[in-house]
Amino acid sequence: MKKTLNIFSINRWYYRLSLSQKKAVWGIVFLLPWLLGFLLFFLKPLIESIYYSFNKVKVIEGGVQTEFIGWENYIRAFKIDPIFNRLVITMVISALPQVLVIIIFSIIAAILINGKYPGRSLARTIFFIPIIMGTEIASTTLVGTDLVSQELVGGRGIEAFSSRIILDVLIHTGLPTEIVGFVSGALNNIFFVLANSGVPTLIFLAGLQTISPSLYEVAKIEGASAHETFWKVTLPMLSPMILVSTVYSIIDRFFKHATMIDGIRYGMIDRIYDIAFRQANYGLGAAMATVYMLVTVFIVLIVSLLISKVVFYYD
Amino acid sequence: MAPFKVSTVSLEKKQNLRIKYKRAPNAFIKFFTNTRSNRSVWGNILLVAFLTFLAFLFLFPVIFMVNNAFKPLHELLKFPPDIIVRTPTLNNFLELRVIFQDSVIPLSRYIFNTVFILVIGTAGQIIFASMAAYPLAKYKFFGSEVISRIIVLSLMFSPVVTAVPNYVIISKLGLIDTYWAIILPAFAATLGLYLMKNFMEQIPSSLIEAASIDGASEFVIFWRVIMPSVKPAWITLFIVSFQTMWGVTGDMYIYKENLKTFSYALGQIARVGIARQGVMAAVSLIMFLIPTITFIIAQSNVIETMTTSGLKE
């Protein structure tokens, strides 16, 4: 008896809400499972690690021991660490043009593999290959585990592998080293774009597939040329996806950023990992990660503000 | 009169010839691109040539990889390497089988672990991300703006540094040495939510209103209206998520040997060194093939359904 009463009271409570309140209730119900996981596995670690960046951290049995030291970790990251500030600067400077090229290339690639022609699933698979090639095991087999070959080509996965083979061939032909260097540099860039445009291409492809065919029919009836159809129909309908892909690419680029300093290759994430775990200076590592995040947030904020000016949304 | 007539004939002939010349390659190109034929012929030929070049660049490492898996050891160690295998053998795969027969944990156990993590992790990630994305994209309620901002923000933090706090939480929850140590954090991944949210924002609100006027409950709207119309988005999410979950080794949270994943086992085998070069080639082929096959299946699924339903007005 008591139980049924309870259900009725919940029912009554629900029906007394206004429409927007009902929607809010449903919104929270839908959001809740994900939000719980997010708070537990992401937000809490994130805040903790920002907190650790202001502390001297010692990992002891069953937890960590902290000692507050203020901004010292940040000052060390910029003033004493010889690598970190250069990594941050090269990261920002090199990523932006790269992202621009990656986005343009992946829009073109997505449009090309979206057409209707025999064997297009083969074409799509071919364009998907770089994503798999970027994974750890595939890249170690291709490039080889020896440090010499990794340093020689300065890359991982498909880009490194392909340019290494071509480098071998070119050196054997006996061409002057300047020409070999130039050609392999250019090829490296091509492979670089190819290897990084996998996920953006997939996003654009999915975006293209949600555009209604009737829009193209209308454009055709109105006599629009292919050129006009692209600029007036395809691109505006794709523009939200351009925002998504750009944000993704910037983050991805920053995450994979690596550069040569004094003949040694340093990666952004590797450096943070190195400091935090191998040198056991967790506080400094956390400070670097926080700086890295703030830089990323700043860049993404500017870029997405610029892009969202031209993004076209339905209603 | 005469010169005029002659000139018209020759003009017609010329035009016919031009049409013939123009159409022949275009029919060929049209077969490949299905674009309207008002693009110039040479433009099309250039395009196909460029695409073939790109496809070759992409395929080149794959051909090398497939061939590598069938090479005997002396061919693998050759420098400079041959692309095509000379004396193909199955030895590399047989050796891999022997290694697994010798190991304490049977191969089937590793495969079961990976499949369990893959299926639950990927399905859960898609469902929870879509469920959370729907209200964030289509409703306005207290806190929805803030949550959207935090999601984008959290995409930008390096997961390397949250490793220690993450470990502490997972061990406090008692999830160390269980599958859930890998699966539960995957549920909360933000990239999927961000992707789904951006696709759902493009669904016209009138569609949702129409459904609710017809008496659909919120859950029915989500499951029968929203999810089918963003199918390309969640197939994309499926592909990306499958790819990451397939590569998960879980060596941070799982220490019991019988709970480790297939890719961890393969990675351990391959890491031994130069003597196992052949096994390593076989391993990398397996690591490569399975996501590729999944991708092909998933993509063909998109093709079949999405060509008919563009839901944007």
Side-chain angles (χ1 to χ4, degrees):
Chain A
M1 192 64 209
K2 214 173 182 183
K3 227 174 192 178
T4 37
L5 209 84
N6 236 339
I7 290 169
F8 275 124
S9 70
I10 287 173
N11 251 345
R12 215 176 295 148
W13 168 78
Y14 179 73
Y15 284 115
R16 227 178 276 150
L17 296 173
S18 70
L19 182 66
S20 60
Q21 280 169 327
K22 273 180 194 165
K23 284 203 157 184
V25 168
W26 274 105
I28 289 162
V29 168
F30 272 81
L31 203 57
L32 211 59
W34 178 86
L35 196 64
L36 277 179
F38 179 76
L39 291 177
L40 207 58
F41 295 115
F42 212 98
L43 207 60
K44 189 169 178 286
L46 184 88
I47 290 166
E48 262 173 34
S49 119
I50 291 174
Y51 167 74
Y52 289 153
S53 72
F54 292 102
N55 284 276
K56 200 172 180 155
V57 181
K58 234 178 162 183
V59 181
I60 51 164
E61 229 183 277
V64 286
Q65 199 178 38
T66 57
E67 183 195 324
F68 188 77
I69 51 168
W71 292 95
E72 201 176 297
N73 280 328
Y74 289 89
I75 293 165
R76 271 192 64 180
F78 277 108
K79 282 203 171 151
I80 298 171
D81 192 275
I83 312 295
F84 183 69
N85 50 12
R86 282 197 269 177
L87 266 176
V88 172
I89 292 166
T90 52
M91 179 176 90
V92 174
I93 292 172
S94 66
L96 294 179
Q98 285 168 352
V99 168
L100 189 69
V101 176
I102 289 169
I103 293 298
I104 291 171
F105 176 79
S106 28
I107 292 178
I108 296 170
I111 288 171
L112 287 177
I113 59 180
N114 193 42
K116 282 185 205 125
Y117 49 90
R120 74 165 170 178
S121 77
L122 180 73
R124 283 180 188 179
T125 311
I126 291 172
F127 272 83
F128 177 64
I129 286 167
I131 304 180
I132 304 174
M133 286 291 173
T135 55
E136 200 63 50
I137 289 183
S139 70
T140 41
T141 359
L142 289 176
V143 189
T145 39
D146 52 320
L147 281 172
V148 181
S149 54
Q150 267 175 13
E151 235 168 71
L152 190 70
V153 290
R156 288 177 58 218
I158 185 174
E159 25 172 335
F161 163 75
S162 305
S163 51
R164 178 188 168 194
I165 295 280
I166 286 157
L167 211 66
D168 282 347
V169 173
L170 285 178
I171 287 168
H172 282 291
T173 55
L175 281 170
T177 43
E178 290 88 21
I179 296 179
V180 173
F182 176 76
V183 173
S184 72
L187 275 171
N188 246 345
N189 289 336
I190 294 177
F191 281 118
F192 171 81
V193 173
L194 295 186
N196 286 292
S197 54
V199 174
T201 307
L202 280 181
I203 294 173
F204 284 129
L205 191 60
L208 282 174
Q209 282 166 349
T210 51
I211 302 177
S212 164
S214 58
L215 275 179
Y216 289 105
E217 267 163 42
V218 169
K220 210 172 177 181
I221 291 166
E222 301 279 350
S225 66
H227 185 258
E228 283 166 333
T229 313
F230 173 76
W231 288 103
K232 301 262 162 76
V233 179
T234 310
L235 210 56
M237 297 304 279
L238 263 191
S239 56
M241 295 305 111
I242 294 178
L243 182 61
V244 179
S245 303
T246 310
V247 170
Y248 173 83
S249 296
I250 291 176
I251 293 166
D252 187 52
R253 251 342 29 243
F254 281 4
F255 190 71
K256 290 181 188 157
H257 176 73
T259 187
M260 301 286 279
I261 295 171
D262 303 329
I264 303 169
R265 207 176 129 79
Y266 289 101
M268 190 76 200
I269 297 303
D270 291 343
R271 184 72 188 162
I272 295 174
Y273 183 84
D274 219 47
I275 298 273
F277 296 110
R278 245 170 251 149
Q279 300 183 19
N281 199 339
Y282 191 78
L284 183 57
M288 283 177 174
T290 311
V291 172
Y292 163 84
M293 182 179 80
L294 289 179
V295 170
T296 320
V297 168
F298 182 67
I299 299 289
V300 168
L301 205 70
I302 292 174
V303 171
S304 54
L305 270 180
L306 286 177
I307 294 176
S308 62
K309 284 230 157 85
V310 292
V311 166
F312 170 82
Y313 278 110
Y314 248 89
D315 60 46
Chain B
M1 225 50 207
F4 176 68
K5 209 181 174 187
V6 167
S7 76
T8 44
V9 167
S10 69
L11 238 176
E12 260 172 29
K13 247 186 186 170
K14 252 188 194 166
Q15 222 142 33
N16 278 341
L17 260 178
R18 187 177 287 164
I19 288 167
K20 230 179 177 177
Y21 156 79
K22 249 195 159 172
R23 282 216 179 125
N26 253 15
F28 173 73
I29 300 296
K30 212 174 171 184
F31 180 74
F32 284 102
T33 56
N34 196 36
T35 51
R36 280 183 290 149
S37 49
N38 57 3
R39 196 184 288 147
S40 79
V41 182
W42 290 109
N44 275 343
I45 287 177
L46 221 80
L47 193 69
V48 171
F50 175 66
L51 281 181
T52 318
F53 171 69
L54 280 189
F56 174 73
L57 288 188
F58 278 143
L59 274 182
F60 187 51
V62 178
I63 294 166
F64 186 75
M65 203 177 202
V66 172
N67 276 297
N68 249 1
F70 295 100
K71 278 180 188 169
L73 192 62
H74 65 90
E75 264 188 62
L76 274 172
L77 296 178
K78 209 172 149 194
F79 189 85
D82 289 328
I83 309 285
I84 306 295
V85 56
R86 295 246 169 96
T87 48
T89 72
L90 277 174
N91 269 351
N92 297 334
F93 293 94
L94 293 178
E95 203 180 327
L96 187 64
R97 222 189 70 191
V98 170
I99 290 170
F100 272 117
Q101 273 170 351
D102 286 350
S103 81
V104 189
I105 312 295
L107 175 63
S108 55
R109 179 75 204 190
Y110 287 122
I111 293 179
F112 170 79
N113 294 342
T114 290
V115 169
F116 186 85
I117 290 171
L118 254 178
V119 171
I120 309 249
T122 309
Q125 192 178 352
I126 292 171
I127 290 169
F128 289 134
S130 320
M131 271 175 71
Y134 169 48
L136 286 180
K138 278 294 154 195
Y139 295 168
K140 292 277 164 286
F141 55 90
F142 178 73
S144 64
E145 272 296 297
V146 179
I147 293 173
S148 307
R149 294 266 161 78
I150 292 173
I151 287 161
V152 182
L153 205 73
S154 69
L155 279 173
M156 300 167 198
F157 202 75
S158 109
V160 168
V161 180
T162 53
V164 169
N166 245 331
Y167 184 87
V168 171
I169 286 168
I170 284 177
S171 70
K172 267 183 194 160
L173 290 172
L175 294 176
I176 297 291
D177 275 339
T178 62
Y179 298 128
W180 301 104
I182 302 174
I183 294 172
L184 286 183
F187 283 175
T190 38
L191 178 67
L193 175 57
Y194 184 58
L195 190 73
M196 295 305 291
K197 179 176 161 275
N198 273 278
F199 272 92
M200 285 178 182
E201 269 167 2
Q202 293 181 292
I203 298 173
S205 297
S206 53
L207 195 69
I208 298 164
E209 277 157 24
S212 64
I213 287 167
D214 283 345
S217 71
E218 286 298 329
F219 196 76
V220 172
I221 292 176
F222 169 70
W223 198 245
R224 307 270 291 274
V225 178
I226 303 290
M227 284 307 268
S229 61
V230 292
K231 191 171 177 185
W234 60 258
I235 297 256
T236 305
L237 178 58
F238 168 76
I239 291 165
V240 175
S241 156
F242 185 95
Q243 165 69 15
T244 43
M245 295 302 276
W246 168 245
V248 157
T249 53
D251 45 6
M252 259 197 83
Y253 305 122
I254 292 183
Y255 300 99
K256 275 188 192 149
E257 197 58 35
N258 62 346
L259 291 177
K260 293 208 157 154
T261 60
F262 186 52
S263 52
Y264 174 83
L266 289 180
Q268 281 313 99
I269 289 165
R271 215 154 283 155
V272 171
I274 206 96
R276 283 197 179 159
Q277 205 80 8
V279 180
M280 196 163 144
V283 162
S284 60
L285 185 64
I286 296 171
M287 287 302 290
F288 170 78
L289 272 186
I290 288 174
T292 312
I293 291 167
T294 324
F295 175 82
I296 294 169
I297 295 168
Q299 269 298 329
S300 60
N301 220 355
V302 176
I303 295 163
E304 275 164 22
T305 49
M306 273 323 290
T307 40
T308 47
S309 72
L311 259 161
K312 277 187 245 167
E313 282 165 336

